Amino acid sequence: MTGDDRGRGIRAVVTRAIRRKPARVAVLCAGAFGLAGLAFSLFYYIGPRLIDDPVPDPAAIARSIEVLDRDDRLLRAYAAVDGRWRLSVSAEEVDPKFLSMLLAYEDRRFFEHGGVDFRALGRAAWQTVRSGRIVSGGSTLTMQVARLIQCGGQRSLAGKIHQILCAWKIERRLTKKQILALYLLKAPYGGNIEGVRAATLAYFGKEPKRLTPAQAALLVALPQSPEHRRPDRHSARAREARGRVLARMVSAGVIGEGEAQAAARERVPDRRRAFPMLAAHAADRAIAGDRSSRRHRLTLDAGLQARLEDLVRMRAARLGDRRSVAIVVADHASGEVLASIGSPGYLDEMRHGAIDMTRAVRSPGSTLKPLIYGLGFEEGLAAPQSLIEDRPTTISGYAPTNFDHDFRGTVTVRDALALSLNVPAVAMLDAVGPARLMERMRVAGMDPQLPESEMPGLAIGLGGVGVTLHDLAALYCAIARGGEAVRLHESKDRRIADGPDAPRPLPGGGHVLSPLASWYVGDILAGAPPPISAIGGRIAFKTGTSYGYRDAWAVGYDGSTVIAVWTGRADGAAIAGATGYLTAAPILFDAFARLGRTLAALPGAPAHALQAASADLPVPLRTVRIPQGHAEGGKIAISFPPEGALLDLETVGAQRLGGVMLKARRGKPPFYWYSNGALVGIAPTRRSIVWKPDGAGFSTVSVVDSAGNSARIRVEVR
């Protein structure tokens, strides 16, 4: 006997009973309905209390850890602790078309019923009786959520009753919005993919906010049989299931016939995509700094990060096997890191891609020379057009040679820095002092590394110190900001208390260079010859090559952004002929071209900048005469104010003099006095002069006599 025959027999029996004894049947029906209502009430109110299945807090369900960019775009995700890809998502973050299809297909009265749709269950039961097989299940989204959180039994009558009790329990504990969010988070999509957001990333490579009708229909179809319909393994079955959903959506009026036909022609994805893995090293750092958070928001720009990661991969492949490239991009006004690429590929074993070369300590080559000359400008030892000697010499027992083993005789300081000559740089470092260079590096936020128990010597000016690419970006941010340091940071949400982004006070008040000295340095670097086919004058940049061609560097900035580039091998092996100018500088200029904007203008010259020719400079500045000693006991010294003095203008007689009295002892007049590299006055015969500070803050006061000897002090004005 078929299901239709059984259905007709039941209807005939019921019809004959009603015709013979209608009153008795009515009484029996009323009694039956009353008892059923009483039983249902007891079942509805008491039943859910009898089951032990807990209703989980939606916020406590294990999710994938996410690292987001400055605009909350996904940079990298990590599988949840149970090995599932389960990414946080809300209904507001999902395409409304998908939600309409989901409710029309699975639970049209979701917002009306209390967890169980008896009309749907009755219809499903009647269809089963009529056809002799299960046509539809009648489960609501709430009942499906009960199954997803493992509340309820197997596919049996007892299991279905248990699931109904769980659904009622869920409806009493959670809102409809929370229940829908649980479904969107937990629905299975094949393999270890759970939730609609993980599914759209895995199959479509996109967030669920904007979906095509074909994509939405596929996502509705998959959870009913995720393994059987996985598009990456069973594309034909997935297409067939999607077609059934599209047909139902046409009949329900969710989409039109033409839209459904176009959707049916759309290709079903036949592979599973990798989850986003941008800024892999920065993401690891964020999680290591705060393991309790599920979402970490960084200052990085996902679009810029992706463009520069593509650039790094392309350039590394062009450089050759085992060669690596790293880039740091920072906004020098705020200190926010906009991009951080530690290697050409996190999983590239040949290039040791798991090593973050933005934080690896390496020799910086000549990239510290701008700071050396900046200190000389600040102390009044030189101006850009001052003449300096580039000849074979021994300085404090150290005999530097130039990179090309040639000497150019008398050159300007501008040319010495632009051409990265070693002898003048070492001579200037001897004048300003290696200890002072190290101190200003630390003020910039750097952590310079020397061999254990070794004191800073002249070799640090040519790369004899360990720094990181992140360090160099911080230094050049300070130069670009007019000499004021800024802490580079990657965390957008908060600073980790004990991590590298901790908001610790900057030593020395954050003063790395004076504004004038910083402008001199930037003006020289902007005039350096650019790489072949690049346009010069718009980026202030410096290159460097470490001893033995192990590291090649290029660091530069425009009016808003600093970019630092490193190339080499992560294992420290030498690469013959790989210089900063030939290998790193072209990448630097390419990186600026990929910022997605026009270059910001560099600052103009300050009013008190010396831009005269060498012969027109003040006499002590025409030629750089390296002093024979410093403030600690040379031929000239500053007797007032003392080193480290805290100057209160009122207590030192500022009201009477109109400024602070500066006094020198020893030395040969005339005396040239400077504040932060700017000439404040000339004393032809007297050893004193009145100085009017620009305002509160730290200042470096220096004096140079006619013989080129100098002294300096550091004071704070309040």
Side-chain angles (χ1 to χ4, degrees), residues 140-154:
T140 62
L141 280 182
T142 310
M143 294 170 67
Q144 293 182 47
V145 166
R147 176 171 50 82
L148 294 175
I149 63 175
Q150 298 181 344
C151 180
Q154 301 299 318

Side-chain angles (χ1 to χ4, degrees), residues 299-301 304-305 308 327-330 336-341:
T299 60
L300 275 59
D301 181 316
L304 177 61
Q305 180 77 24
L308 293 185
I327 295 179
V328 172
V329 182
E336 292 180 340
V337 176
L338 304 178
S340 181
I341 300 95

